[in-house]
Amino acid sequence: MPDVQKVVEYLKSLTGVVKVIQMTDEMSNNVMDIEKSIKTQSQHDYDNIGYNLAMNKKHRLCLFFTDDLPIKMKSILKMKTSDGTILGTSLEPDEIESYKGRDDIIWISEDFIMFTNIRGNGPESFVLYPYPVKELDAITEKELNAIGTFPTSSSDMYLKECVGIPLTDNIFSTIIAFGD
């Protein structure tokens, strides 16, 4: 059985999975156009590096799922300036405690901080990095170098409309890409 079929069958078998689709080139390109057009509410640029990397992979799957999904997926979000200076970052759950009580940060949310003493040069943007999907290597018995990324809400809505998934707050989407 080809790797794509093995991965699709595995993902479909997981608790919490609503649907798995192999994205067409048209869907992939439309999502790329949406992702590139996004600005945050504060008018910062948004760069989904994870999706940019996914576009360089041979296979892109869209996984629609609920909170019951057993795979832990977390992309890292950073605020950077164009010179590469990191002004803020999301934190992993095990990092949060070590940042509590520090006076050189501002908490933007329960898991995102901004550094008050760091300055960079150039425009600021939010950058979303991919997460590894190592669970798939065991399915295919070889390294797939699979990555995952979360699409913006606009791309999520587009993908759900493409396949007839209800536009609800309790069904999420992620893109899993592999194959060089």
Side-chain angles (χ1 to χ4, degrees):
M1 180 183 303
D3 290 342
V4 175
Q5 285 179 290
K6 287 180 185 177
V7 170
V8 168
E9 292 305 314
Y10 167 73
L11 293 172
K12 284 181 176 179
S13 74
L14 297 174
T15 302
V17 171
V18 176
K19 190 170 198 154
V20 180
I21 61 159
Q22 187 163 4
M23 295 174 66
T24 65
D25 288 342
E26 180 181 2
M27 289 172 76
S28 297
N29 291 329
N30 288 342
V31 169
M32 178 59 96
D33 290 343
I34 294 168
E35 294 295 306
K36 285 183 177 182
S37 72
I38 298 298
K39 289 251 189 219
T40 66
Q41 288 181 344
S42 58
Q43 293 306 304
H44 287 93
D45 286 333
Y46 177 82
D47 186 8
N48 189 339
I49 288 179
Y51 195 75
N52 296 345
L53 293 171
M55 287 295 286
N56 293 323
K57 301 281 188 179
K58 184 176 181 181
H59 305 288
R60 285 172 298 284
L61 305 175
C62 185
L63 173 67
F64 299 95
F65 63 96
T66 65
D67 280 333
D68 299 324
L69 187 71
I71 295 176
K72 298 301 171 220
M73 303 173 289
K74 182 159 181 2
S75 293
I76 299 297
L77 180 67
K78 295 189 182 294
M79 180 179 240
K80 294 172 68 173
T81 57
S82 59
D83 70 354
T85 304
I86 296 171
L87 304 175
T89 187
S90 57
L91 301 173
E92 294 289 336
D94 61 342
E95 297 176 303
I96 292 173
E97 195 61 38
S98 67
Y99 283 89
K100 289 185 175 173
R102 285 181 51 171
D103 60 1
D104 64 334
I105 61 171
I106 296 172
W107 290 89
I108 303 301
S109 70
E110 64 187 31
D111 67 349
F112 192 90
I113 58 170
M114 296 289 293
F115 301 104
T116 58
N117 60 345
I118 297 178
R119 302 283 179 262
N121 294 311
E124 300 169 352
S125 63
F126 284 96
V127 181
L128 186 68
Y129 291 87
Y131 59 89
V133 189
K134 296 194 180 295
E135 296 88 347
L136 301 183
D137 293 348
I139 305 308
T140 59
E141 299 174 2
K142 64 181 177 183
E143 275 191 47
L144 291 178
N145 297 315
I147 60 168
T149 190
F150 293 100
T152 59
S153 58
S154 298
S155 294
D156 175 73
M157 286 174 29
Y158 165 76
L159 289 164
K160 286 175 178 173
E161 287 173 358
C162 283
V163 296
I165 300 285
L167 299 177
T168 66
D169 290 339
N170 61 352
I171 298 176
F172 312 98
S173 64
T174 192
I175 310 293
I176 295 174
F178 59 94
D180 299 324

